[in-house]
Amino acid sequence: AQSVAQPEDQVKVAEGNPLTVKCTYSVSGNPYLFWYVQYPNRGLQFLLKYITGDNLVKGSYGFEAEFNKSQTSFHLKKPSALVSDSALYFCAVRDIVTGNTGKLIFGQGTTLQVKP
Amino acid sequence: NAGVTQTPKFQVLKTGQSMTLQCAQDMNHNSMYWYRQDPGMGLRLIYYSASEGTTDKGEVPNGYNVSRLNKREFSLRLESAAPSQTSVYFCASMSGAGSIEGTDTQYFGPGTRLTVL
């Protein structure tokens, strides 16, 4: 079965420090991976996706993610965290087992807290 | 462009009451989705519509029905609300489930926060 895991419920970093939010996946075939961010009382906003090609994917707001096939991971990173990055982050994988329906399978989410 | 809009933003129901959550998108997308978000469980797919005129069950469809009214609108109905349906509901749309390799991005609405007493 396809699945996504975010092993950390919460990540705390100081402003200006690098941040990493972890994601691992389990799929059959090639993975199509996504990161979304949710600010308080808002909907999900798309950050970036990996489909194919370069393992380092750059996205919105200075975020990037590294696809690692051997470790089945897709960790979200940012070189220098901002207080405004504090939010709930979701990793997701495209469900391709049940046909090309576009469905996403989400991880449980990681709360990022950036302290001033 | 408004993107994906949802109404209402908040709703409180009593057990057994019914209601319909509305979703509309103005991006001419083919595919639309309804998710529920519960603490520690991420988002779970309730129903989806890969194209106008089709709907299919997702991971947690029990207690819900949907209608793809036209290409723009996709509604979610609770016929007899239960406290277990207290959640935040998100609608999403995507340009085309039939795209090559399924590489499209889903875009989400602001959500409806539903409480069932």
Side-chain angles (χ1 to χ4, degrees):
Chain A
Q2 299 181 112
S3 64
V4 174
Q6 295 179 241
E8 301 160 315
D9 291 336
Q10 189 173 48
V11 170
K12 295 181 181 180
V13 298
E15 188 174 32
N17 283 359
L19 69 88
T20 299
V21 182
K22 295 180 179 178
C23 172
T24 59
Y25 65 89
S26 174
V27 300
S28 55
N30 294 323
Y32 302 129
L33 297 155
F34 300 77
W35 274 103
Y36 285 84
V37 60
Q38 183 182 28
Y39 297 102
N41 300 314
R42 304 285 294 277
L44 276 70
Q45 296 180 29
F46 169 73
L47 277 179
L48 50 81
K49 64 183 178 183
Y50 172 81
I51 303 300
T52 187
D54 194 346
N55 289 343
L56 186 63
V57 179
K58 294 188 182 297
S60 306
Y61 312 121
F63 283 93
E64 57 190 26
E66 185 171 11
F67 172 68
N68 188 316
K69 188 172 184 177
S70 63
Q71 298 186 4
T72 62
S73 66
F74 188 56
H75 301 332
L76 183 69
K77 299 181 179 183
K78 187 173 183 180
S80 179
L82 300 173
V83 172
S84 57
D85 293 330
S86 298
L88 181 59
Y89 291 80
F90 289 100
C91 182
V93 66
R94 178 79 78 216
D95 179 356
I96 59 175
V97 171
T98 55
N100 197 11
T101 59
K103 294 189 291 181
L104 289 173
I105 300 169
F106 284 87
Q108 71 270 33
T110 298
T111 299
L112 173 65
Q113 184 179 12
V114 182
K115 296 184 176 182
Chain B
N1 278 350
V4 180
T5 57
Q6 293 182 236
T7 56
K9 292 184 179 180
F10 303 93
Q11 184 71 48
V12 178
L13 294 177
K14 295 181 180 179
T15 296
Q17 287 185 317
S18 63
M19 80 160 294
T20 299
L21 281 64
Q22 305 288 352
C23 174
Q25 51 90 9
D26 62 2
M27 296 175 283
N28 200 35
H29 285 172
N30 289 316
S31 305
M32 298 184 74
Y33 308 83
W34 275 107
Y35 294 90
R36 59 177 289 171
Q37 181 183 22
D38 301 292
M41 302 187 73
L43 277 74
R44 294 180 292 169
L45 183 65
I46 304 171
Y47 270 94
Y48 66 99
S49 172
S51 61
E52 186 179 358
T54 67
T55 61
D56 285 286
K57 296 179 180 179
E59 182 184 358
V60 288
N62 291 344
Y64 305 95
N65 284 301
V66 291
S67 295
R68 183 73 183 267
L69 305 172
N70 47 55
K71 191 172 186 178
R72 289 186 64 247
E73 299 172 288
F74 188 39
S75 63
L76 178 71
R77 183 162 177 82
L78 287 69
E79 292 289 351
S80 179
S84 61
Q85 293 177 306
T86 294
S87 187
V88 182
Y89 292 86
F90 288 102
C91 177
S93 72
M94 189 177 78
S95 64
S99 64
I100 296 174
E101 299 178 341
T103 60
D104 289 344
T105 299
Q106 285 188 19
Y107 294 93
F108 286 77
T112 294
R113 189 173 297 273
L114 175 67
T115 300
V116 183
L117 302 175

